[in-house]
Amino acid sequence: MTAVRVVERTDDGRIREAQYGSSAPSKDVSVPKSQHCGPLHQRAMDFGSKVFLPSGYPHSVSPDYLRYQVFNALQAFCSSLAGLLSSRALLEGFGVGNAEASATHALLLTVLQDFFGRITTICAAYALGPSLGAEAKTFRLLADVANDAAIVLDTLSPLILSRVQIPGARVGALCLSGALRAMCGICAGGSKAALSMHFATPVSGTGDIGDLNAKDSSKETVLALFGMLAGSLIVPHLTTPSSTYTVLFTLVGLHLWLNYHGVRGVVLRTLNRQRLSIAWHHFRDSMDTEVPSPAHVSRRERVLDWNFSALGAGFQAGRCTCDVGSSLVAVFPPGKGSDSIPPPALVNADQEDAYILWFDPSSISQNPTQPTFRAHNHALGFKMHIFLRRGYSTQHVIKAWVHAVEVGRMIALQRRTGSRESLSDPLDLVRVGHKRVGERLERFLELMREKGWETGETGLVVGTPRGVIEEVEVVADEQGLGVEGRKER
């Protein structure tokens, strides 16, 4: 009789071997044949991993998943305890325990707080929505800052009622806390979606984002339950303002510290403006021989960096900034003389790269023959714009941003060496930067992919570009100058 030998890997990574059609017994290579005969703590750990960790862990998630979840669990516990203190203070602010308070008054306060929260939700989604995915780490931390600020305001509301003799001060504090909670919801929701997609994309293999989110919800439910149970034992003993505020600010400080270190340890492999700038600076500083790994960039990345348009890492690019997807007609409005006209050499060039890089009118003083930098802006910094052409792709946007970073490097180098003469020709800077990038970009992207970076999709363009150049035609006017025939979609 023919025997069949089967070796399988279970969902928890264990290897089993079995034989069919033979008198030889089946055997388990890595563990006992029965998972139910192991030690009690081992069975408990196996059960806990199946309930709270994604199926196939650790092969179905990114390597930084467990570290982030540990910090996230600790910060959620602190937030739950602090939330109980704010809930008690909020009930006091609504009049619980006050014989003169009425249910109608408390209802109106709740409606007013909810009104400001909903208005903030709409405004925050409009203003911050396009940036949440690209800057997920920053907005994940910002969400907790807003939530903690709301908790502090709610807890201080009884103190405001008794100490601050300003009409409407308590109502204003409650409305502000509602707005901050709404801001937290928008920032946390958008950034959490981006982080979940990252965690569900392991270095090798595939993950299930639905299962990952479901297991995260289970963990949050259990942590909230433990937080409420612990809070029910602690809060009754906090009967004085000093003890309440001491515990509150201790929990808030610990909550923010845990959040910062948890977010900082996330190793994103997608490119945004800051990560691409750090990688390009490292590549150029290494004489075009190596690029940093995602873990190396994560250690250098600034989580609390609000200037998303900055071109450099630290001092290397000075104070240069660049906007991606700007509208050429909006930046250079027609009908304002020759100073508002971009150089025809750039506008009418054969752009295989599907973009135009040029300086903001505030940084340069143009004339019909030769644009120059404004002298008073040398110390203040420079601003550039990337105008996208029809048919642009992700690779074009990467090259455009790297091109801007290289121009910023040249400007910073000229400042450090004191060479001010070459700063007088911005057109030469753009041309030289384009040449340097063109010679190195293919090698740079190849090394980036070898290091594990994802270059197919980026967060360089936030939202929809404000303008896309459909057609450009340079036509001589009566003085032999002018740019007409510009169209944009």
Side-chain angles (χ1 to χ4, degrees):
M1 180 177 179
T2 303
V4 179
R5 175 175 172 269
V6 177
V7 178
E8 70 173 8
R9 180 186 300 273
T10 63
D11 58 353
D12 55 1
R14 300 176 180 181
I15 304 298
R16 293 189 207 173
E17 178 181 340
Q19 293 187 10
Y20 300 89
S22 173
S23 58
S26 301
K27 61 180 180 179
D28 196 318
V29 175
S30 59
V31 294
K33 287 182 288 186
S34 175
Q35 296 183 8
H36 301 285
C37 61
L40 179 62
H41 72 276
Q42 181 63 46
R43 285 183 286 162
M45 292 180 61
D46 291 341
F47 176 77
S49 64
K50 289 182 179 294
V51 173
F52 298 113
L53 293 177
S55 179
Y57 175 86
H59 307 289
S60 60
V61 295
S62 59
D64 53 352
Y65 175 78
L66 182 60
R67 180 187 184 279
Y68 176 80
Q69 291 301 319
V70 170
F71 279 97
N72 190 54
L74 295 174
Q75 66 87 19
F77 184 77
C78 293
S79 180
S80 181
L81 290 177
L84 286 179
L85 294 175
S86 71
S87 297
R88 183 180 69 174
L90 191 62
L91 292 174
E92 294 177 2
F94 284 156
V96 175
N98 185 0
E100 299 179 357
S102 65
T104 302
H105 180 69
L107 175 64
L108 292 177
L109 284 178
T110 304
V111 170
L112 188 61
Q113 189 180 38
D114 188 59
F115 170 79
F116 277 90
R118 292 176 186 273
I119 293 298
T120 303
T121 298
I122 297 172
C123 297
Y126 168 76
L128 304 177
S131 304
L132 296 176
E135 307 295 339
K137 296 171 73 171
T138 297
F139 284 105
R140 181 65 186 86
L141 183 59
L142 178 63
D144 291 297
V145 172
N147 182 65
D148 287 343
I151 289 175
V152 170
L153 278 175
D154 286 342
T155 309
L156 293 178
S157 59
L159 180 65
I160 295 175
L161 177 63
S162 60
R163 302 288 180 85
V164 180
Q165 302 300 322
I166 300 177
R170 180 170 63 91
V171 176
L174 292 175
C175 293
L176 181 58
S177 70
L180 288 171
R181 279 195 167 85
M183 176 78 74
C184 169
I186 290 296
C187 294
S191 58
K192 182 181 178 181
L195 292 177
S196 296
M197 291 182 64
H198 161 70
F199 291 135
T201 53
V203 177
S204 60
T206 58
D208 187 345
I209 189 171
D211 179 52
L212 183 141
N213 284 330
K215 298 299 176 57
D216 286 350
S217 297
S218 297
K219 290 194 289 287
E220 292 171 1
T221 301
V222 172
L223 291 170
L225 176 62
F226 278 112
M228 287 189 293
L229 293 176
S232 64
L233 299 176
I234 297 174
V235 171
H237 299 285
L238 304 177
T239 57
T240 63
S242 59
S243 61
T244 300
Y245 299 141
T246 299
V247 173
L248 171 69
F249 287 106
T250 300
L251 289 173
V252 167
L254 183 60
H255 177 242
L256 292 178
W257 183 85
L258 290 170
N259 266 289
Y260 175 78
H261 286 278
V263 171
R264 187 167 182 80
V266 176
V267 182
L268 296 176
R269 300 187 299 276
T270 55
L271 293 171
N272 66 357
R273 299 179 184 184
Q274 184 182 180
R275 289 190 285 273
L276 182 55
S277 298
I278 294 173
W280 180 258
H281 283 302
H282 185 100
F283 175 70
R284 297 288 283 116
D285 292 340
S286 67
M287 304 301 292
D288 309 338
T289 58
E290 65 176 6
V291 297
S293 65
H296 178 82
V297 171
S298 177
R299 290 192 293 270
R300 295 184 56 188
E301 186 178 8
R302 291 190 295 268
V303 177
L304 294 175
D305 187 5
W306 308 112
N307 191 3
F308 301 141
S309 297
L311 290 173
F315 65 92
Q316 291 178 318
R319 299 179 183 178
C320 293
T321 60
C322 182
D323 289 339
V324 182
S326 299
S327 167
L328 189 144
V329 176
V331 175
F332 299 97
K336 293 191 176 182
S338 59
D339 284 349
S340 65
I341 300 175
L346 285 180
V347 175
N348 200 39
D350 181 15
Q351 288 285 339
E352 296 180 356
D353 301 316
Y355 72 90
I356 297 174
L357 175 67
W358 191 238
F359 293 88
D360 190 85
S362 63
S363 301
I364 56 175
S365 178
Q366 298 194 47
N367 58 67
T369 57
Q370 180 64 52
T372 58
F373 284 107
R374 296 184 189 274
H376 66 275
N377 272 337
H378 283 192
L380 300 178
F382 300 88
K383 182 177 181 180
M384 289 182 279
H385 294 275
I386 294 174
F387 309 104
L388 299 175
R389 293 177 179 264
R390 179 178 59 185
Y392 73 92
S393 66
T394 300
Q395 299 302 311
H396 294 134
V397 178
I398 292 177
K399 183 173 183 179
W401 183 258
V402 170
H403 185 185
V405 173
E406 184 63 27
V407 172
R409 281 179 61 91
M410 291 189 289
I411 293 174
L413 178 62
Q414 291 164 1
R415 285 175 174 175
R416 290 199 301 268
T417 59
S419 175
R420 294 301 183 100
E421 294 77 8
S422 54
L423 284 176
S424 60
D425 193 347
L427 185 57
D428 279 351
L429 280 173
V430 173
R431 285 172 169 170
V432 172
H434 183 270
K435 181 180 179 182
R436 292 182 179 180
V437 170
E439 295 171 348
R440 297 169 171 84
L441 185 65
E442 184 176 351
R443 173 63 175 166
F444 172 72
L445 293 178
E446 180 183 354
L447 292 175
M448 291 285 284
R449 286 188 285 268
E450 291 177 357
K451 285 286 187 177
W453 289 98
E454 298 177 7
T455 59
E457 296 182 3
T458 67
L460 300 176
V461 181
V462 177
T464 304
R466 291 178 291 277
V468 177
I469 300 175
E470 290 285 344
E471 182 181 346
V472 175
E473 181 182 1
V474 176
V475 181
D477 58 16
E478 295 178 358
Q479 288 79 29
L481 300 170
V483 179
E484 300 179 359
R486 286 195 297 251
K487 298 180 181 179
E488 66 175 307
R489 179 169 54 195

